[in-house]
Amino acid sequence: MKPSTKPEPFLLASMLLCTLLGLGYPLSCEMCIRNGAICIGEMKDCALDEDTCVVIMTETNNKGSVDVTSYKGCSKSSKCDPAFLSITVAPENYMGSDTRCCQSNGCNKDPLPAFRRNLTKNGVQCPSCSTFLKETCTPTDETLCFGEETRCVTVTGLMHPGVRFAFQGCATENACHIKPGTLVPSGSHLLTIKKISCLPSPQASGKAE
Ligand SMILES: *[C@@H]1O[C@H](CO)[C@@H](O)[C@H](O)[C@H]1NC(C)=O
């Protein structure tokens, strides 16, 4: 809901620098963040070290309040994981995120197809906890895993500069290979994942109803 206003002088200076150094113009991407499956924003130039445009759509459930958030912006290919990611801490505390990365001007214009959370319990169960302001949490509970979530994970990250979060729960296999710095828009926040560690694959405990 808050369009970020980038200081224009920086843009001008960087374009001038490009011209002087003969580096060519920066990549330009559509930029927006909005509740809902579609966001439309202005085209803006990326910073010189950003070589990638991204579109990210997430569905988060925080204590029963479900948000779908769309984000478009600039990124670095080293921080872009084009994949569907699903993490569950509890039945009413989960996030699913779909990301696409591309490398040409305005290539992030098209919205991602809507996704639906897979509500089938898969028999895997993981220790779970979540906390803000700290870098670790101690599991107090176990959660059932859904759909393709076959791994138990520990996640740490930043909600805003300086505001940490940590949680443990179930995740899709690709979460184990996520790059540090991966963005996850959630409601009005832009979460940055710092680290995900996967526990050894749990045995499906099988008795989930
Ligand atoms: C949902 O997850 C279950 C269990 O992993 C799987 O068998 C099923 O194919 C998934 N459904 C879809 C639509 O992906």
Side-chain angles (χ1 to χ4, degrees):
M1 284 296 166
K2 298 158 234 153
S4 65
T5 46
K6 259 196 167 172
E8 299 296 338
F10 171 73
L11 216 60
L12 279 178
S14 59
M15 282 168 87
L16 189 62
L17 194 67
C18 275
T19 313
L20 290 176
L21 298 177
L23 290 176
Y25 287 100
L27 181 68
S28 66
C29 303
E30 189 178 350
M31 310 244 188
C32 55
I33 180 164
R34 189 175 171 276
N35 282 335
I38 293 175
C39 82
I40 295 172
E42 285 176 39
M43 292 280 292
K44 290 199 176 156
D45 287 341
C46 300
L48 291 177
D49 61 347
E50 293 176 320
D51 58 354
T52 296
C53 299
V54 287
V55 196
I56 308 172
M57 182 156 57
T58 58
E59 180 182 293
T60 53
N61 184 331
N62 184 11
K63 300 193 181 97
S65 134
V66 180
D67 279 307
V68 172
T69 310
S70 298
Y71 172 84
K72 293 179 180 176
C74 299
S75 185
K76 300 179 187 179
S77 47
S78 62
K79 292 191 171 180
C80 207
D81 280 305
F84 180 75
L85 192 70
S86 175
I87 300 178
T88 298
V89 177
E92 297 205 327
N93 186 358
Y94 64 77
M95 69 185 194
S97 169
D98 200 6
T99 301
R100 197 181 62 212
C101 317
C102 56
Q103 274 91 25
S104 61
N105 287 336
C107 61
N108 64 342
K109 276 192 174 283
D110 292 336
L112 291 171
F115 61 87
R116 267 186 198 287
R117 180 169 166 79
N118 185 331
L119 294 170
T120 310
K121 290 168 190 148
N122 61 18
V124 178
Q125 214 167 312
C126 295
S128 73
C129 58
S130 64
T131 184
F132 286 94
L133 307 172
K134 285 196 288 180
E135 259 190 345
T136 57
C137 65
T138 308
T140 49
D141 214 344
E142 291 242 314
T143 186
L144 299 171
C145 305
F146 292 84
E148 317 293 328
E149 298 172 344
T150 55
R151 302 300 299 263
C152 296
V153 292
T154 299
V155 182
T156 60
L158 291 172
M159 191 159 88
H160 301 296
V163 181
R164 298 175 172 135
F165 64 85
F167 54 83
Q168 292 191 29
C170 309
T172 43
E173 171 70 33
N174 56 5
C176 304
H177 315 292
I178 204 168
K179 294 167 183 164
T182 294
L183 295 177
V184 180
S186 165
S188 53
H189 303 297
L190 198 54
L191 309 180
T192 306
I193 291 180
K194 272 176 63 186
K195 190 166 177 231
I196 295 194
S197 323
C198 287
L199 306 178
S201 279
Q203 298 303 313
S205 51
K207 274 127 208 144
E209 298 296 298

